[in-house]
Amino acid sequence: MVVVTGQNKVSATPDDAMSSSDAEDDFQEPATPTASQAGQALPLLPQQFPEVVPLNVGGMFFTTRLSTLRRYEDTMLAAMFSGRHYIPTDAEGRYFIDRDGTYFGDILNFLRSGDLPPRERVRSVYKEAQYYSIGPLLDNLEDIQPLKGEKVRQAFLGLMPYYKDHLERIIEIAKLRAMQRKARFAKLKVCVFKEEMPITPYECPHFNSLRFERSESDTKLFEHHCEVDVSFGPWEAVADVYDLLHCIVTDLSARGITVDHQCIGVCDKHLINHYYCKRPIYEFKITWW
C-alpha cells in the first residue's frame, strides 16, 4: 500500500524501497571544497611591490629600486617583479631569490649604471647574466677579455672533429690506468698533427709541398692510425700544434685536472717506399692527487 501526502512523501513496502547504495549512485551531494581547493580555484591577484625593494638572494641582502630590476623588459628579473608572478619573502619581509648571491651585486651595478665587473669576475658574472637572461650585459661581457679571446679560441676548436670527445677519452683512460695501478698519476700517448700528409726526411724536391695530388689508391696507402691512446687532427688554420696543445691543457686544467706533457718523438710508422709517418707523439701525465 502506497500513501501520498501533500508533501509528496512516498512510503513503500520493503520490496519497493530503493536501497541506499542505489540512491547514492543516482544522486550524490557535491563535496564541499576544501580550503586548499578553494584557494587553487581562485585566481591569484597581481603582486604589488614597493618602490624600494629589499632582496634576499641566497642569504645575501640587497636593496634596489623596482625600476632597476625592470630596467630591461626581456629579463628574468623584469618578469619576476612584473607583478605577474608570486615572489616569496623571508621572515624579515625581503623578497627571496633562491640563487647564489655572490655576483648579484655586479648584476645590480650593471642594471643601475652599466658598470662592468673586473676581469677576474667576468666569467662568473657571465654565468649569472645567462641565468637572469640579461642580454645587454651578455653582449658587453662577450666583447671584453677573457670572453672575447674565448670566442676566438672556440672558433679554432670548431675545426677539431670530436675535440670534446677526445678530452673525455683522455680523462677516462688516465683514470682507469691510475686505478688499475693504484697510482697517483697515469701516462698516455697523444698524437697531435696539423697536416694529414706524412713528412719524411727523404722526400724529393717536388714533393716538398704537403698538398701534391695523389690518386685515390695512393691516398689509401697513407691512411693509418698511429699507435696512441688519443689522436687530434688534422685541421686547416694558422694555429699550429702548440696552440692546440695549449687548448687541451687549458680545458683539462679548467676541470681541476693536473696535466704535464712532453714530446717523446714521432710515430715513425713505415707507410710505403720512403714514406714514414712523422706525426709528433706527446706523453701526457695526469696527476690525480
Side-chain angles (χ1 to χ4, degrees):
M1 176 179 180
V2 178
V3 179
V4 180
T5 67
Q7 296 178 344
N8 294 329
K9 290 184 179 180
V10 179
S11 62
T13 63
D15 293 334
D16 296 330
M18 181 183 295
S19 66
S20 61
S21 61
D22 292 338
E24 290 174 358
D25 290 340
D26 289 348
F27 176 77
Q28 292 183 352
E29 290 288 342
T32 302
T34 63
S36 61
Q37 290 173 335
Q40 292 174 358
L42 294 176
L44 292 175
L45 296 176
Q47 190 172 11
Q48 301 296 320
F49 298 101
E51 180 59 28
V52 177
V53 183
L55 298 170
N56 178 345
V57 184
M60 299 183 67
F61 307 141
F62 302 89
T63 303
T64 189
R65 292 174 64 92
L66 181 62
S67 58
T68 298
L69 297 172
R70 296 175 175 176
R71 177 63 52 86
Y72 299 103
E73 293 182 358
D74 298 330
T75 67
M76 180 184 292
L77 289 173
M80 291 172 65
F81 290 90
S82 64
R84 300 190 304 270
H85 307 281
Y86 175 74
I87 309 298
T89 56
D90 63 12
E92 302 298 326
R94 304 182 187 93
Y95 295 97
F96 181 71
I97 300 176
D98 194 11
R99 182 76 176 176
D100 188 348
T102 303
Y103 303 102
F104 191 76
D106 293 301
I107 297 293
L108 285 181
N109 286 337
F110 176 79
L111 294 176
R112 287 166 176 154
S113 55
D115 292 344
L116 298 177
R119 179 172 178 175
E120 62 270 16
R121 295 208 299 268
V122 165
R123 292 183 185 274
S124 298
V125 175
Y126 186 82
K127 292 181 180 179
E128 294 304 296
Q130 287 180 312
Y131 176 78
Y132 293 111
S133 301
I134 306 176
L137 178 53
L138 291 171
D139 293 339
N140 277 271
L141 293 177
E142 288 175 355
D143 202 38
I144 62 176
Q145 289 287 60
L147 294 183
K148 192 176 185 68
E150 181 62 18
K151 290 178 67 175
V152 177
R153 191 177 81 97
Q154 289 300 327
F156 162 58
L157 292 179
L159 301 175
M160 299 294 106
Y162 311 112
Y163 175 77
K164 292 183 178 179
D165 294 337
H166 291 340
L167 286 183
E168 293 298 330
R169 181 167 174 78
I170 288 175
I171 296 172
E172 188 63 23
I173 292 175
K175 182 183 72 174
L176 290 176
R177 287 182 181 171
M179 293 178 66
Q180 290 171 353
R181 297 176 57 245
K182 308 298 188 293
R184 180 168 171 250
F185 63 87
K187 295 180 179 180
L188 61 159
K189 293 181 179 179
V190 177
C191 178
V192 182
F193 64 100
K194 181 177 180 179
E195 301 287 353
E196 185 175 9
M197 177 65 190
I199 305 173
T200 79
Y202 313 108
E203 291 172 351
C204 299
H206 62 281
F207 283 165
N208 283 339
S209 171
L210 300 180
R211 301 185 182 279
F212 63 87
E213 295 295 328
R214 302 192 306 269
S215 66
E216 184 176 349
S217 59
D218 290 337
T219 300
K220 293 181 179 180
L221 294 175
F222 288 100
E223 292 178 353
H224 79 290
H225 298 284
C226 301
E227 296 180 359
V228 294
D229 298 298
V230 182
S231 185
F232 293 85
W235 67 88
E236 293 185 4
V238 174
D240 58 20
V241 168
Y242 299 103
D243 296 319
L244 182 57
L245 285 170
H246 182 273
C247 291
I248 296 172
V249 173
T250 298
D251 289 334
L252 291 175
S253 299
R255 299 180 60 172
I257 297 174
T258 302
V259 54
D260 296 305
H261 68 280
Q262 61 177 346
C263 183
I264 58 174
V266 295
C267 175
D268 211 29
K269 180 178 181 180
H270 179 247
L271 301 178
I272 181 176
N273 298 331
H274 54 273
Y275 285 98
Y276 293 79
C277 176
K278 294 301 178 181
R279 296 170 180 169
I281 307 298
Y282 294 84
E283 181 183 76
F284 273 54
K285 179 181 178 181
I286 307 294
T287 304
W288 291 107
W289 81 86

